């Protein structure tokens, strides 16, 4: 009876006074598993009340624990785990027990709390667990068997109550809100996608730009709303299908944990920071909810930071692996806007700290998160504003598509707004403008642009070909022949071009 009292009193004190969580509770076998994370380390305690006569019985039990730990590794949080195996009995094994013969996968601390070692053993356990208050249990109650029994039953019931409260807290955490806003966002994205398909095409650069895609020259001119509007545009059916599937699952989880208004703030702040990162690091036209969706990953990682034990017992490594796969996929596929994804991931984590989890708030952390977010966003936007004379890949994509759509006057108007252009895309810019000039009959301006384009890039086959046509129209057969031969040498496919028909340049996307 004394051993039972000591066992249940120790388990009860660790839970009630030292905030350990109950992982497993077996009343009949006298076995309790507890866990607590503190200062970057996870302490796992396995309490067992049992008499062992021989050390080989102890070794067999430790082998069993080692297998259990390996099997259930994902249920325990933290990178650094320390396992405390505590045996409570009147006597230790008859033969000496030093260490288990098996290879252990965890840092094991094996303690025998026998009658001649209970006091010293509790002091050692207090030190190893880093407890603020010492573990002191007076288990010698003379001539009071009824008090023993009633107290033991009371502590058992209290531990059962604690276990039920843990389950309820877990349920409350994951069912705080309802995913109503997630469904609204899903519908809005689908409606916008259908609208764009009806007025043009979601794979058309010009349509995307006109309806709010992330377009760096537009943002430089003050169209800051593109940082938000681009979150609702998608490029093709596969793009929106993948993003909406991710939004459905991640959005539902995040909104249920955080509630609707916290989800709303986190989603949009993450999306905006993702757009800001894309603006700074990527000059191509971009669109999609991916930045905001990666922000939901960030919000769940923040949840892992605040609820490590609960996180690893539920989504845990599955989520971390999923984030890693998405990042690796983005690195391997050139078309993916990794800067927007990573900006959204970081923005989601910071935004989650800003709004914090329900029933949890820390003014200093929230203020720091707000300052950090504002600093990052301002730095990205301020640093990303380049000179309007510098040409970007996004502008070339836009001009190319406008030419394909025979909107030559618009190309001329756009390009003539800039003078003394510069940048790695300068020759492409000149070529697209020359093509529009040719179609509008302004051959002199086209000639000047093409001459400059081949000076910048002597290997520009299409520019040589079109220049040969202009030389031929001027009656300069020698230069016409030279540039035509040069064009066909660089790109044999140009031999099939119709006579007098200028070639167009296709930008590698």
């Amino acid at each position: 009876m004394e051993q039972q009292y000591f066992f249940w009193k120790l388990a009860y004190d660790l839970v009630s006074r030292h905030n350990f969580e109950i992982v497993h509770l077996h009343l009949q076998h006298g076995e309790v598993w507890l866990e607590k994370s503190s200062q970057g380390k996870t302490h796992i305690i396995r309490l067992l009340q049992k008499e062992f006569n021989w050390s080989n019985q102890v070794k067999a039990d430790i082998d069993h624990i080692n297998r259990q730990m390996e099997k259930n590794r994902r249920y325990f949080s933290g990178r650094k785990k320390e396992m405390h195996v505590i045996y409570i009995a009147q006597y230790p094994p008859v033969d000496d027990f030093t260490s288990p013969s098996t290879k252990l996968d965890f840092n094991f601390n094996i303690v025998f709390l026998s009658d001649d070692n209970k006091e010293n053993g509790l002091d050692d356990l207090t030190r190893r667990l880093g407890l603020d208050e010492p573990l002191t249990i007076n288990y010698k109650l003379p001539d009071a068997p009824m008090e023993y029994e009633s107290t033991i039953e009371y502590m058992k019931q209290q531990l059962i109550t604690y276990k039920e409260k843990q389950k309820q807290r877990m349920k409350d955490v994951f069912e705080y809100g309802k995913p109503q806003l997630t469904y609204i966002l899903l519908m809005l994205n689908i409606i916008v996608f259908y609208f764009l398909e009806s007025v043009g095409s979601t794979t058309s650069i010009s349509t995307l730009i006109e309806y709010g895609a992330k377009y760096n020259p537009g943002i430089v001119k003050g169209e800051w709303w593109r940082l938000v509007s681009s979150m609702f545009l998608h490029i093709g059916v596969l793009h929106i299908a993948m993003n909406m599937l991710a939004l459905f699952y991640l959005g539902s989880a995040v909104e249920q944990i955080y509630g609707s208004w916290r989800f709303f703030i986190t989603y949009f702040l993450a999306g905006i920071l993702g757009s800001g990162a894309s603006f700074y690091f990527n000059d191509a036209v971009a669109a999609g909810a991916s930045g905001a969706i990666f922000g939901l990953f960030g919000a769940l990682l923040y949840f892992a930071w605040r609820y490590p034990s609960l996180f690893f017992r539920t989504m845990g490594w599955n989520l971390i692996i999923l984030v890693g796969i998405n990042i690796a996929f983005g690195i391997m596929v050139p078309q993916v806007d990794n800067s927007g994804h990573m900006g959204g991931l970081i923005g989601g984590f910071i935004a989650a700290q800003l709004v914090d989890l329900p029933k949890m708030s820390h003014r200093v952390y929230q203020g720091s998160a707000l300052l950090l977010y504002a600093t990052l966003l301002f730095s990205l936007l301020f640093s990303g504003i380049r000179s309007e004379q510098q040409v970007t890949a996004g502008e070339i994509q836009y001009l190319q598509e406008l030419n394909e759509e025979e909107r030559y006057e618009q190309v001329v108007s756009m390009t003539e707004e800039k003078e003394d252009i510069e940048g790695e895309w300068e020759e492409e810019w000149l070529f697209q403008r020359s093509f529009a000039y040719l179609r509008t009959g302004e051959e002199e301006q086209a000639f000047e642009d093409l001459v400059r384009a081949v000076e910048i890039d002597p290997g520009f086959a299409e520019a040589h070909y079109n220049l040969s046509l202009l030389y031929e129209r001027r009656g300069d057969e020698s230069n016409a022949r030279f540039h035509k031969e040069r064009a066909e040498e660089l790109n044999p496919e140009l031999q099939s071009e119709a006579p007098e028909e200028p070639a167009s340049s296709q930008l590698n996307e």
Side-chain angles (χ1 to χ4, degrees), residues 431-443:
F431 181 85
Q432 296 298 334
R433 183 168 66 178
S434 71
F435 191 87
Y437 278 145
L438 283 172
R439 291 304 191 184
T440 56
E442 301 176 71
E443 293 189 1

PDB file of all heavy atoms in Angstrom, residues 431-443:
ATOM      1  N   PHE A 431      13.740  45.038 -79.987  1.00  0.00           N
ATOM      2  CA  PHE A 431      13.178  44.184 -81.019  1.00  0.00           C
ATOM      3  C   PHE A 431      11.646  44.223 -81.022  1.00  0.00           C
ATOM      4  O   PHE A 431      11.026  44.329 -82.084  1.00  0.00           O
ATOM      5  CB  PHE A 431      13.652  42.746 -80.844  1.00  0.00           C
ATOM      6  CG  PHE A 431      13.124  41.818 -81.899  1.00  0.00           C
ATOM      7  CD1 PHE A 431      13.768  41.693 -83.116  1.00  0.00           C
ATOM      8  CD2 PHE A 431      11.954  41.095 -81.699  1.00  0.00           C
ATOM      9  CE1 PHE A 431      13.275  40.863 -84.106  1.00  0.00           C
ATOM     10  CE2 PHE A 431      11.450  40.260 -82.679  1.00  0.00           C
ATOM     11  CZ  PHE A 431      12.114  40.145 -83.885  1.00  0.00           C
ATOM     12  N   GLN A 432      11.038  44.131 -79.829  1.00  0.00           N
ATOM     13  CA  GLN A 432       9.574  44.155 -79.767  1.00  0.00           C
ATOM     14  C   GLN A 432       9.029  45.493 -80.284  1.00  0.00           C
ATOM     15  O   GLN A 432       8.020  45.532 -80.989  1.00  0.00           O
ATOM     16  CB  GLN A 432       9.102  43.910 -78.327  1.00  0.00           C
ATOM     17  CG  GLN A 432       9.457  42.538 -77.760  1.00  0.00           C
ATOM     18  CD  GLN A 432       8.834  41.393 -78.533  1.00  0.00           C
ATOM     19  OE1 GLN A 432       7.788  41.547 -79.179  1.00  0.00           O
ATOM     20  NE2 GLN A 432       9.478  40.228 -78.493  1.00  0.00           N
ATOM     21  N   ARG A 433       9.719  46.571 -79.952  1.00  0.00           N
ATOM     22  CA  ARG A 433       9.280  47.869 -80.450  1.00  0.00           C
ATOM     23  C   ARG A 433       9.462  47.966 -81.957  1.00  0.00           C
ATOM     24  O   ARG A 433       8.591  48.493 -82.677  1.00  0.00           O
ATOM     25  CB  ARG A 433      10.029  49.006 -79.752  1.00  0.00           C
ATOM     26  CG  ARG A 433       9.535  50.387 -80.191  1.00  0.00           C
ATOM     27  CD  ARG A 433      10.059  51.485 -79.302  1.00  0.00           C
ATOM     28  NE  ARG A 433      11.504  51.647 -79.395  1.00  0.00           N
ATOM     29  CZ  ARG A 433      12.180  52.582 -78.716  1.00  0.00           C
ATOM     30  NH1 ARG A 433      11.536  53.402 -77.897  1.00  0.00           N
ATOM     31  NH2 ARG A 433      13.488  52.677 -78.838  1.00  0.00           N
ATOM     32  N   SER A 434      10.576  47.439 -82.466  1.00  0.00           N
ATOM     33  CA  SER A 434      10.816  47.484 -83.920  1.00  0.00           C
ATOM     34  C   SER A 434       9.743  46.680 -84.660  1.00  0.00           C
ATOM     35  O   SER A 434       9.311  47.064 -85.757  1.00  0.00           O
ATOM     36  CB  SER A 434      12.207  46.938 -84.244  1.00  0.00           C
ATOM     37  OG  SER A 434      12.268  45.538 -84.050  1.00  0.00           O
ATOM     38  N   PHE A 435       9.320  45.556 -84.067  1.00  0.00           N
ATOM     39  CA  PHE A 435       8.282  44.747 -84.693  1.00  0.00           C
ATOM     40  C   PHE A 435       6.976  45.543 -84.805  1.00  0.00           C
ATOM     41  O   PHE A 435       6.294  45.512 -85.833  1.00  0.00           O
ATOM     42  CB  PHE A 435       8.061  43.465 -83.874  1.00  0.00           C
ATOM     43  CG  PHE A 435       7.203  42.441 -84.555  1.00  0.00           C
ATOM     44  CD1 PHE A 435       7.750  41.502 -85.413  1.00  0.00           C
ATOM     45  CD2 PHE A 435       5.831  42.426 -84.350  1.00  0.00           C
ATOM     46  CE1 PHE A 435       6.954  40.565 -86.050  1.00  0.00           C
ATOM     47  CE2 PHE A 435       5.025  41.493 -84.975  1.00  0.00           C
ATOM     48  CZ  PHE A 435       5.588  40.555 -85.831  1.00  0.00           C
ATOM     49  N   ALA A 436       6.636  46.271 -83.719  1.00  0.00           N
ATOM     50  CA  ALA A 436       5.435  47.108 -83.750  1.00  0.00           C
ATOM     51  C   ALA A 436       5.579  48.241 -84.764  1.00  0.00           C
ATOM     52  O   ALA A 436       4.622  48.574 -85.483  1.00  0.00           O
ATOM     53  CB  ALA A 436       5.165  47.674 -82.355  1.00  0.00           C
ATOM     54  N   TYR A 437       6.779  48.821 -84.838  1.00  0.00           N
ATOM     55  CA  TYR A 437       7.030  49.877 -85.831  1.00  0.00           C
ATOM     56  C   TYR A 437       6.831  49.346 -87.256  1.00  0.00           C
ATOM     57  O   TYR A 437       6.231  50.001 -88.118  1.00  0.00           O
ATOM     58  CB  TYR A 437       8.452  50.412 -85.690  1.00  0.00           C
ATOM     59  CG  TYR A 437       8.657  51.443 -84.602  1.00  0.00           C
ATOM     60  CD1 TYR A 437       9.850  51.493 -83.873  1.00  0.00           C
ATOM     61  CD2 TYR A 437       7.683  52.402 -84.327  1.00  0.00           C
ATOM     62  CE1 TYR A 437      10.055  52.441 -82.892  1.00  0.00           C
ATOM     63  CE2 TYR A 437       7.882  53.362 -83.340  1.00  0.00           C
ATOM     64  CZ  TYR A 437       9.062  53.377 -82.619  1.00  0.00           C
ATOM     65  OH  TYR A 437       9.259  54.324 -81.660  1.00  0.00           O
ATOM     66  N   LEU A 438       7.345  48.141 -87.508  1.00  0.00           N
ATOM     67  CA  LEU A 438       7.189  47.553 -88.843  1.00  0.00           C
ATOM     68  C   LEU A 438       5.719  47.381 -89.197  1.00  0.00           C
ATOM     69  O   LEU A 438       5.312  47.634 -90.346  1.00  0.00           O
ATOM     70  CB  LEU A 438       7.898  46.197 -88.894  1.00  0.00           C
ATOM     71  CG  LEU A 438       9.427  46.220 -89.009  1.00  0.00           C
ATOM     72  CD1 LEU A 438      10.013  44.829 -88.856  1.00  0.00           C
ATOM     73  CD2 LEU A 438       9.850  46.822 -90.353  1.00  0.00           C
ATOM     74  N   ARG A 439       4.930  46.945 -88.208  1.00  0.00           N
ATOM     75  CA  ARG A 439       3.524  46.699 -88.478  1.00  0.00           C
ATOM     76  C   ARG A 439       2.722  47.992 -88.633  1.00  0.00           C
ATOM     77  O   ARG A 439       1.657  47.996 -89.249  1.00  0.00           O
ATOM     78  CB  ARG A 439       2.925  45.859 -87.336  1.00  0.00           C
ATOM     79  CG  ARG A 439       3.445  44.425 -87.282  1.00  0.00           C
ATOM     80  CD  ARG A 439       3.215  43.703 -88.579  1.00  0.00           C
ATOM     81  NE  ARG A 439       3.462  42.272 -88.476  1.00  0.00           N
ATOM     82  CZ  ARG A 439       3.411  41.435 -89.490  1.00  0.00           C
ATOM     83  NH1 ARG A 439       3.168  41.882 -90.710  1.00  0.00           N
ATOM     84  NH2 ARG A 439       3.632  40.145 -89.313  1.00  0.00           N
ATOM     85  N   THR A 440       3.234  49.073 -88.073  1.00  0.00           N
ATOM     86  CA  THR A 440       2.536  50.353 -88.202  1.00  0.00           C
ATOM     87  C   THR A 440       3.137  51.219 -89.316  1.00  0.00           C
ATOM     88  O   THR A 440       2.773  52.390 -89.469  1.00  0.00           O
ATOM     89  CB  THR A 440       2.581  51.126 -86.867  1.00  0.00           C
ATOM     90  OG1 THR A 440       3.942  51.288 -86.451  1.00  0.00           O
ATOM     91  CG2 THR A 440       1.792  50.396 -85.797  1.00  0.00           C
ATOM     92  N   GLY A 441       4.108  50.670 -90.044  1.00  0.00           N
ATOM     93  CA  GLY A 441       4.672  51.373 -91.190  1.00  0.00           C
ATOM     94  C   GLY A 441       5.770  52.354 -90.876  1.00  0.00           C
ATOM     95  O   GLY A 441       6.206  53.105 -91.763  1.00  0.00           O
ATOM     96  N   GLU A 442       6.275  52.350 -89.637  1.00  0.00           N
ATOM     97  CA  GLU A 442       7.333  53.297 -89.252  1.00  0.00           C
ATOM     98  C   GLU A 442       8.680  52.582 -89.385  1.00  0.00           C
ATOM     99  O   GLU A 442       9.325  52.241 -88.394  1.00  0.00           O
ATOM    100  CB  GLU A 442       7.097  53.787 -87.828  1.00  0.00           C
ATOM    101  CG  GLU A 442       5.749  54.481 -87.665  1.00  0.00           C
ATOM    102  CD  GLU A 442       5.474  54.879 -86.220  1.00  0.00           C
ATOM    103  OE1 GLU A 442       6.158  55.818 -85.750  1.00  0.00           O
ATOM    104  OE2 GLU A 442       4.598  54.260 -85.578  1.00  0.00           O
ATOM    105  N   GLU A 443       9.112  52.386 -90.654  1.00  0.00           N
ATOM    106  CA  GLU A 443      10.286  51.569 -90.920  1.00  0.00           C
ATOM    107  C   GLU A 443      11.590  52.219 -90.473  1.00  0.00           C
ATOM    108  O   GLU A 443      12.534  51.518 -90.107  1.00  0.00           O
ATOM    109  CB  GLU A 443      10.351  51.235 -92.408  1.00  0.00           C
ATOM    110  CG  GLU A 443       9.221  50.315 -92.853  1.00  0.00           C
ATOM    111  CD  GLU A 443       9.428  49.816 -94.271  1.00  0.00           C
ATOM    112  OE1 GLU A 443      10.459  50.184 -94.889  1.00  0.00           O
ATOM    113  OE2 GLU A 443       8.578  49.046 -94.754  1.00  0.00           O
TER     114      GLU A 443
END
